[in-house]
Amino acid sequence: TENGLARLKENGELPQVTVDMVHPRVIDHILTGQDAVHQGVLLEAKPLQQPRLDQVPREGLVVVLDQVTDPHNVGAILRTCAAFDVKALVVTARHAPHESGVLFKSASGAYEHVPMCRVTNLASALEELRGYGFQLIGLDSDAEREMETAADSRPSALVLGAEGKGLREKTRATCDVMARIAMPGE
């Protein structure tokens, strides 16, 4: 937008690309609606290459999402994954948000640091991770074991369920152990 370009010039950040001046509503539309918050600048770029499941490092922690559909939540999870040095975030090809302005804004840059791997079948992907030596830990607030006692020395795949309904039954049955995160506060 005119204002966005003016701010870039004020900061001495002259774009080294072709600039198309547009009305703010055009950027709103590209970012999927009027709820999209932007500062009058949109850069179109090629998507980052993301790994296949067999390319995920077989060490440390991997986070797996079972039909988490809100792009704000996935973005927040990506930020948390970056903070805890998670090696990859695994999501399903369907029933998970695709890369969008909302997800990227919520992730606050974490998408560039945490590989996001899309799989077709979650149960098969979990079995594949198990085959690579990962312990599959499903999170459930009603589980008997606390997270601290559930993990062993193997690399771990932490499986989180959807907003509200939690883990699906097949996902739950595929996990090696169910655990809860102790939350002593209200």
Side-chain angles (χ1 to χ4, degrees), residues 1-7 18-31 38-44:
T1 65
E2 219 172 294
N3 290 339
L5 183 59
R7 274 193 299 280
T18 303
V19 174
D20 293 327
M21 296 295 268
V22 297
H23 191 277
R25 283 189 300 247
V26 173
I27 296 177
D28 291 344
H29 178 72
I30 292 170
L31 296 178
H38 58 82
Q39 296 173 342
V41 177
L42 172 73
L43 176 68
E44 291 182 322

Side-chain angles (χ1 to χ4, degrees), residues 65-69 92-97 168:
L65 302 183
D66 183 11
Q67 296 190 348
V68 177
T69 57
T92 53
R94 293 180 45 205
H95 307 294
R168 291 176 293 158

Side-chain angles (χ1 to χ4, degrees), residues 87-121:
K87 304 304 179 198
L89 178 67
V90 179
V91 298
T92 53
R94 293 180 45 205
H95 307 294
H98 286 276
E99 292 78 354
S100 68
V102 174
L103 188 144
F104 294 142
K105 184 160 179 64
S106 297
S108 300
Y111 183 80
E112 288 80 13
H113 299 285
V114 180
M116 197 159 128
C117 178
R118 287 194 180 272
V119 298
T120 304
N121 182 294

Side-chain angles (χ1 to χ4, degrees), residues 68-162:
V68 177
T69 57
D70 186 323
H72 293 97
N73 290 345
V74 174
I77 291 167
L78 271 168
R79 283 196 320 269
T80 304
C81 287
F84 286 95
D85 194 30
V86 168
K87 304 304 179 198
L89 178 67
V90 179
V91 298
T92 53
R94 293 180 45 205
H95 307 294
H98 286 276
E99 292 78 354
S100 68
V102 174
L103 188 144
F104 294 142
K105 184 160 179 64
S106 297
S108 300
Y111 183 80
E112 288 80 13
H113 299 285
V114 180
M116 197 159 128
C117 178
R118 287 194 180 272
V119 298
T120 304
N121 182 294
L122 191 62
S124 296
L126 290 172
E127 291 293 351
E128 187 174 342
L129 285 169
R130 179 181 286 124
Y132 299 146
F134 283 87
Q135 179 187 21
L136 308 176
I137 304 171
L139 286 185
D140 183 339
S141 60
D142 294 328
E144 289 183 25
R145 296 180 74 174
E146 288 189 9
M147 181 67 193
E148 294 78 17
T149 65
D152 59 26
S153 61
R154 293 179 284 171
S156 297
L158 195 59
V159 187
L160 287 73

